[in-house]
Amino acid sequence: MKRIRLTVALLTLALMGLTAQAAEVPLVGNVLNRQTVSLNGPWHYIVDVQEEGYYDYRMNPTRWGFFRNAKPQRPEDLIEYDFDKAATVQIPGDWNTQDQRLFFYEGTVWFKRSFNFRKSNDRRTLLYFGAVNYEAIVYVNGEKVMQHVGGFTPFNADVTDLLREGENVVIVKVDNKRHADNVPTQIFDWWNYGGITRDVMLIQVPTTYIENYALTLSKEVGKKGMNKIDLALNLNAKEAGRQVQLNIPELKVKQTFTTDAEGCIGSSFFVKQKMLTLWSPENPKLYKVELVLDGDTLRDEIGFRTIEARGKQILLNGKPIFLRGVSIHEEAPNGGGRANNTETAHTLLTWAKEMNCNFVRLAHYPHNEYAIREAERMGMLVWSEIPVYWTISWKNEKTFQNARRQLTDMIRRDQNRANIIIWSIANETPHSAERDKFLGSLAQYARTLDNTRLISMAMEVTGASNYVNRLQDNMHEHVDVVSFNQYVGWYRDVNDAPKMTWEVPYDKPVIVSEFGGGAKFGLHGEKNQRWTEEFQENLYIQNTAMLDKIEGLAGTTPWVLKDFRSPRRVLDGIQDYYNRKGLYSDKGEKKKAFYIMKKWYEGK
């Protein structure tokens, strides 16, 4: 009788879905240095135009969806899909450049990966996605794990209780359809690459683990001859009295800190100034760091520096710096596709360095972690941005929470990267009271997450009168650096450039976050002929001379490093679905305007 009762109880729990549970958990930091198992490689995929794998014919979610990975058990069984017979694509990767039929496709695609797993009694397992564009619904062994919205930030779930010894299956429903309430919204000027575009991995962690941490050089003056370094750390559990050892061998730091009732550490320590080499573009010094909890060691390489705005100057390590920058999209050279590895990042950043850049604006969304880390190693300062782009649904609370979540995950992932100096909260947004409230709240929130970096956004110049351009934006109260986009020479006659005067009535540093114009590499003609390299070259000659007259100019990021794909650029024979404003072609060929910027930056 007891056995029968036990069987009934277990069956009841199984029907309730309580025997195996999984849930999204707060984002884990520094995944690239944790114990991981990669799930990258070939994944089977099924294109589901009408989402029949998720909805029934009445548009109600179906319990018989593709996530079940069902197989016929009898000859007469009707199952109209089979992942194992479907084609494969490489993950990470977008579907647009891997399947010619899907080049313009926006909709749902299902992905499936099988893997073998060996369970551990003393460790938990997290399933981590670097990014999925745009909405992801994740299933493990037929059970829904999590649903994530946003195409450029990571997310993870604890799937320990769903995994079994031997073969396991992960299935992901990916939907990249555009919607007005999304972030970004329905229209944007880059390619809407769909798919699982960044790494997928299993992360092995102890039951209690270091969830995230930040090590930063304090702006506060330490003891005489000493630098103060702040440590903020949190565990995944609210456990007091847990000891975490911090080791920085090169700085002779070996200290133990104790968590409070929230499982957090907020403390400081001192190192001798003469021992500490500050990170800079000229000397991108990184220190090996270890954090040890119960014998479990988490390693990182971290640089220390300060960044601040003082009057109309940006100070790096207390000294004024001019940001010689360029804007970059996260797109691979030679035909596009979403960039997602160190090699591609190195290529793009090398092109920027050839132009004498010390700074890159990573537009218009958080780029992959490999790109951030490679820029840090190469000594490249970074502006990192969330895709609050053009016209967002300012009154929609879900849209705001989406933007806030993306801002949170961008900062949490990269808060230890010394090269990031600016968090950007928007690009070219139309003015309104609702917009000011939305963006003002984001700026205020960003400071609660990280008060060690500068806040900015790419504004528009709206106060133009004849040849006087006056920047007027209520958001100047919320940013540390005033940045704006302008396209004299492209959307306005280039001959107007010498006549232009600029008024920025705020005592803050100024970055011109976009300027430029298009040219097709190899197309030559007179300097007044659109699309020729000579036209773009003259535009840059006139613009750089004009920018030199802006008071408080602290940097520029011309638009853009290389030609990139965009469905808005339809001119046959010239654009061919590429935005041609690149200083390089998509293949890395230097246009004549490249040399204008290179020479101008030599004098900065």
Side-chain angles (χ1 to χ4, degrees), residues 143-427:
E143 299 292 332
K144 183 177 177 179
V145 171
M146 55 184 163
Q147 185 168 352
H148 182 266
V149 173
F152 303 98
T153 49
F155 55 100
N156 45 233
D158 189 329
V159 296
T160 308
D161 297 336
L162 285 181
L163 296 176
R164 52 196 178 214
E165 197 77 20
E167 185 175 273
N168 293 262
V169 175
V170 175
I171 291 176
V172 186
K173 177 185 181 292
V174 180
D175 185 350
N176 75 328
K177 289 192 295 292
R178 292 166 293 115
H179 298 284
D181 294 332
N182 286 356
V183 180
T185 187
Q186 213 156 11
I187 58 170
F188 45 87
D189 189 15
W190 66 85
W191 206 263
N192 187 25
Y193 289 114
I196 303 174
T197 57
R198 295 181 190 161
D199 290 339
V200 186
M201 61 183 77
L202 300 173
I203 307 174
Q204 303 288 327
V205 292
T207 302
T208 300
Y209 57 90
I210 297 171
E211 186 177 276
N212 215 336
Y213 58 92
L215 271 171
T216 53
L217 179 61
S218 176
K219 295 178 183 177
E220 298 178 18
V221 178
K223 303 174 185 177
K224 186 176 181 181
M226 305 289 282
N227 281 121
K228 181 183 177 186
I229 296 179
D230 297 324
L231 169 65
L233 179 148
N234 66 284
L235 307 181
N236 67 307
K238 295 182 179 181
E239 297 183 9
R242 301 300 296 269
Q243 292 191 328
V244 176
Q245 182 176 299
L246 170 67
N247 300 322
I248 311 178
E250 195 172 347
L251 295 178
K252 301 187 186 308
V253 172
K254 188 173 186 179
Q255 294 196 34
T256 299
F257 302 89
T258 304
T259 60
D260 61 18
E262 296 297 310
C264 297
I265 294 170
S267 191
S268 303
F269 58 94
F270 296 91
V271 297
K272 294 179 180 179
Q273 288 180 352
K274 63 182 181 181
M275 291 183 62
L276 186 64
T277 299
L278 300 184
W279 187 99
S280 69
E282 298 75 26
N283 185 13
K285 174 64 178 177
L286 300 176
Y287 289 92
K288 295 185 184 302
V289 173
E290 296 179 344
L291 292 160
V292 185
L293 173 66
D294 294 337
D296 192 74
T297 301
L298 184 57
R299 295 178 173 84
D300 205 345
E301 291 188 337
I302 294 178
F304 299 100
R305 56 99 191 98
T306 61
I307 189 74
E308 60 182 311
R310 187 182 301 167
K312 290 185 175 292
Q313 290 184 320
I314 293 175
L315 305 182
L316 177 68
N317 300 325
K319 299 178 181 179
I321 185 172
F322 187 87
L323 301 176
R324 307 186 306 272
V326 69
S327 298
I328 301 180
H329 262 299
E330 189 190 54
E331 186 178 83
N334 297 309
R338 186 59 69 207
N340 50 36
N341 56 55
T342 299
E343 292 74 22
T344 300
H346 185 81
T347 296
L348 296 174
L349 293 167
T350 297
W351 292 356
K353 287 188 81 84
E354 288 178 2
M355 202 166 68
N356 289 322
C357 290
N358 61 7
F359 177 57
V360 288
R361 177 188 179 210
L362 300 184
H364 286 289
Y365 39 77
H367 287 213
N368 66 85
E369 189 169 358
Y370 296 108
I372 302 294
R373 287 179 178 266
E374 185 64 11
E376 185 180 45
R377 285 188 288 265
M378 294 175 66
M380 195 72 76
L381 294 158
V382 166
W383 157 316
S384 189
E385 186 166 295
I386 56 171
V388 177
Y389 182 92
W390 290 357
T391 306
I392 294 291
S393 296
W394 307 115
K395 300 178 184 179
N396 189 315
E397 178 61 22
K398 287 186 177 179
T399 302
F400 175 77
Q401 292 302 327
N402 182 346
R404 177 179 159 123
R405 169 69 187 270
Q406 293 190 49
L407 180 63
T408 302
D409 292 340
M410 174 179 73
I411 292 175
R412 289 295 183 229
R413 191 195 71 179
D414 294 329
Q415 60 192 3
N416 285 303
R417 305 282 62 87
N419 58 329
I420 296 181
I421 58 171
I422 293 174
W423 300 124
S424 172
I425 56 174
N427 176 78

